[in-house]
Amino acid sequence: MPEDANKNPGNHDDAVLDRRQFVKVGATSLGVAGLGACVFGFRYLSPNVLYEPSPIVSVGRPERYTIGSVTLDPRFSIFVVRDQEGFYALSAVCTHLGRLTIWKADGGVIACPCHGSTFRRDGTTIAGPAPAPLPWLKMWLGDDGYLIVDRSTTLSPRSEYVRVEAHG
């Protein structure tokens, strides 16, 4: 009987049960970690494409703009300017910190409301911290009679005007 006293079947069963629980928890943890690795692996291998709007936009018919006008199109962050020479487009994004500029008709300037940079109607810098003039953008008259601007193509200032013949 002394041998029976040394054996403690309850302690032995608890130890086996604890090992089983440990193995179950460990296997479950490894399974979750493996599944997470598969998910991140799939995300790594799947294409990560950004769908950006086209840089080529239509800004309307030429009749919409009067001679001498500077019109901000906030949807595309551009100014459409019509002079005696014709049409041209300017980026409306300030070259200082990338804020949207506005046309101030009373002063005849394009102004950045953020830090006070001012530009002439042709985009050249008048004052302020802006390090460069507003870039001219490629513009042309489409086959459908609408003015088209390519926001990704810059031109040297006063290099191209879109001339539209008046019909009447």
Side-chain angles (χ1 to χ4, degrees):
M1 282 258 199
E3 292 176 7
D4 291 337
N6 287 339
K7 287 184 181 179
N8 190 349
N11 286 344
H12 182 53
D13 287 341
D14 288 342
V16 171
L17 191 59
D18 285 340
R19 269 187 257 144
R20 285 184 186 156
Q21 286 179 343
F22 177 75
V23 169
K24 284 182 183 178
V25 169
T28 304
S29 297
L30 287 174
V32 169
L35 182 64
C38 289
V39 168
F40 283 114
F42 178 74
R43 294 250 323 141
Y44 175 75
L45 294 175
S46 65
N48 192 9
V49 179
L50 294 177
Y51 296 100
E52 296 183 13
S54 173
I56 299 174
V57 296
S58 173
V59 292
R61 293 201 171 272
E63 300 84 33
R64 176 178 167 200
Y65 305 98
T66 59
I67 294 178
S69 68
V70 178
T71 307
L72 171 65
D73 192 335
R75 298 173 301 160
F76 307 122
S77 300
I78 57 174
F79 285 108
V80 177
V81 183
R82 184 172 187 184
D83 278 345
Q84 293 294 336
E85 296 87 8
F87 290 92
Y88 60 92
L90 295 171
S91 172
V93 178
C94 183
T95 56
H96 177 229
L97 290 178
R99 304 289 179 131
L100 187 65
T101 56
I102 56 173
W103 169 247
K104 292 193 172 186
D106 55 343
V109 295
I110 298 171
C112 179
C114 184
H115 291 110
S117 294
T118 53
F119 306 89
R120 290 185 182 88
R121 66 185 300 123
D122 66 353
T124 56
T125 308
I126 297 172
L134 297 175
W136 280 47
L137 303 174
K138 177 78 175 162
M139 180 184 234
W140 67 92
L141 188 63
D143 294 336
D144 58 357
Y146 285 84
L147 291 168
I148 309 296
V149 178
D150 184 355
R151 297 177 293 165
S152 65
T153 305
T154 58
L155 306 171
S156 57
R158 291 174 290 289
S159 62
E160 290 185 24
Y161 291 91
V162 176
R163 291 174 185 17
V164 177
E165 296 179 21
H167 297 289

